[in-house]
Amino acid sequence: MAVDAASRGYRVALVAAEDFAKGTSSRSPKLVHGGVRYLRQGNITLVLEALRERGRLAKNAPHLVRDMAFVIPTYNWWEGPFYGIGMKVYDQLAGYLELDPSGWLSREETMKRIPSVEPEGLVDGVIYHDGQFDDARLAIHLAMTAAEQGAVVTNYCRCIALIKREGRVTGARLRDAEAGEEFELRTKSVVNATGVFVDELRQIGDEDANPVVAVSQGIHIVLPQKFLPGNTAIMIPKTSDGRVLLAVPWQNRVIVGTTDTPRKTAVLEPRALAEERDFVMEHAQRYLTLDPRMQMS
Ligand SMILES: Cc1cc2nc3c(=O)[nH]c(=O)nc-3n(C[C@H](O)[C@H](O)[C@H](O)COP(=O)(O)OP(=O)(O)OC[C@H]3O[C@@H](n4cnc5c(N)ncnc54)[C@H](O)[C@@H]3O)c2cc1C
């Protein structure tokens, strides 16, 4: 947003309370996916929006976004055709922004792609493509581009209150963490893009402001590469609680997750709960030949 506004000639200040890209974004599965999990929920509008974002990002930042092949290993005869058709719909929805098309894999091809997949009961597989990106580099490049376009960009500068006049936000009170100084910035508009902390900021000085975010946390576990050698990710379309589980290669490791646990308040350094770790490891071991629980013991 800062890049967009600065490049249109607006005077822009971007302030971040901590390191750039420090928040929830740094804990994401590093995927620019087209919302495949929302396809199963039938939320086509959201899938279309995510596919468009994926396509735009791949075009605008080809040095940071790469194609990632996902395999859905199937253990029932009906899953191959079922997920195969679903992924064809996904391809179609992407339209001209489509990556490589999805397809069916035999049992042998599935095992070749994912040598560590659980072979017992494996029927076949479905392959499809999504994007993977380097979130931290993208955030830094965007900050640099915004600065190049004339924006003032600073981190370790927290917005501690929104300044209001006759009910309208007219500025922000900021605290420079390094200098320990506080100062006010008068502006025509303020974009509160603080993610899960959005209500915390809105409610400073306005305790009646209705919350717009329901706080929850999700975790990944990070495993050595031997759990998923190669460059292909695994997608498990339905866990016991009806969620999607992903195992994604990332920088010589494997990221596996995720969970969705409601929390009362947002914290900057959330801690994984034991039951979340158990849930992810229990599901991962069902689909992998190596058991992550042995790694932890
Ligand atoms: C495990 C996991 C899996 C996920 N999977 C997916 C997925 O598959 N698909 C998907 O679409 N999304 C997914 N998400 C969600 C996605 O990562 C988040 O929606 C997204 O990163 C939020 O980005 P953001 O910029 O809004 O917030 P953040 O990345 O949290 O950035 C907000 C920033 O605001 C700063 N800040 C806070 N308060 C202040 C203040 N007062 N003044 C100045 N700065 C402040 C924070 O330091 C932070 O850097 C996942 C998240 C997790 C944790």
Side-chain angles (χ1 to χ4, degrees):
M1 202 174 285
V3 172
D4 190 90
S7 62
R8 287 166 201 267
Y10 292 99
R11 293 173 66 206
V12 176
L14 170 68
V15 298
E18 307 274 337
D19 282 337
F20 294 121
K22 155 90 183 176
T24 311
S25 303
S26 69
R27 271 82 167 189
S28 81
K30 321 297 176 198
L31 298 177
V32 201
H33 67 71
V36 68
R37 69 183 62 178
Y38 310 119
L39 188 65
R40 207 166 47 75
Q41 296 165 2
N43 194 339
I44 301 294
T45 317
L46 201 52
V47 179
L48 279 170
E49 189 185 320
L51 283 166
R52 270 198 295 269
E53 287 296 318
R54 182 188 78 178
R56 281 194 201 116
L57 204 54
K59 272 193 162 166
N60 292 344
H63 58 305
L64 297 179
V65 179
R66 66 186 192 96
D67 187 297
M68 169 66 73
F70 282 77
V71 167
I72 307 174
T74 70
Y75 292 87
N76 283 305
W77 67 266
W78 56 268
E79 286 180 327
F82 181 76
Y83 294 121
I85 293 169
M87 297 326 297
K88 285 289 168 210
V89 173
Y90 192 59
D91 290 349
Q92 290 299 311
L93 289 173
Y96 76 99
L97 293 171
E98 185 192 5
L99 303 175
D100 279 352
S102 62
W104 177 83
L105 298 177
S106 67
R107 176 186 153 88
E108 290 65 37
E109 286 168 327
T110 304
M111 290 181 64
K112 205 167 156 198
R113 278 269 181 181
I114 315 271
S116 58
V117 72
E118 175 55 59
E120 203 183 317
L122 181 70
V123 178
D124 54 17
V126 173
I127 186 167
Y128 72 96
H129 296 261
D130 248 329
Q132 185 177 50
F133 79 132
D134 188 325
D135 55 328
R137 279 184 70 197
L138 180 73
I140 298 299
H141 284 202
L142 283 170
M144 286 163 70
T145 311
E148 232 172 63
Q149 296 291 326
V152 174
V153 176
T154 179
N155 55 12
Y156 286 86
C157 186
R158 175 177 290 276
C159 175
I160 51 173
L162 298 173
I163 301 165
K164 287 187 181 166
R165 204 168 162 187
E166 292 165 9
R168 283 198 61 227
V169 176
T170 56
R173 185 155 187 81
L174 307 175
R175 182 185 296 136
D176 178 336
E178 284 177 0
E181 285 168 10
E182 289 185 14
F183 55 98
E184 286 185 5
L185 207 64
R186 298 279 161 185
T187 63
K188 283 196 179 135
S189 57
V190 174
V191 178
N192 178 356
T194 53
V196 75
F197 302 100
V198 72
D199 289 323
E200 195 179 295
L201 188 55
R202 288 173 63 241
Q203 286 168 343
I204 296 173
D206 185 3
E207 280 150 28
D208 296 335
N210 284 331
V212 290
V213 164
V215 179
S216 76
Q217 75 172 36
I219 71 143
H220 293 106
I221 55 172
V222 182
L223 295 172
Q225 201 173 22
K226 65 181 178 189
F227 283 85
L228 185 63
N231 284 323
T232 305
I234 300 181
M235 197 268 252
I236 307 302
K238 198 164 183 212
T239 56
S240 59
D241 69 347
R243 298 178 49 74
V244 165
L245 191 88
L246 301 170
V248 185
W250 175 250
Q251 296 185 346
N252 303 326
R253 296 278 189 283
V254 186
I255 299 179
V256 190
T258 181
T259 54
D260 190 358
T261 313
R263 307 295 285 168
K264 281 207 176 78
T265 48
V267 289
L268 199 61
E269 296 288 352
R271 307 289 305 213
L273 304 173
E275 55 265 36
E276 289 182 297
R277 283 197 303 264
D278 292 346
F279 175 87
V280 173
M281 285 197 282
E282 155 64 18
H283 279 80
Q285 63 86 26
R286 289 187 201 168
Y287 298 91
L288 299 174
T289 43
L290 290 175
D291 185 344
R293 293 173 301 187
M294 306 308 283
Q295 182 78 21
M296 303 290 165
S297 58

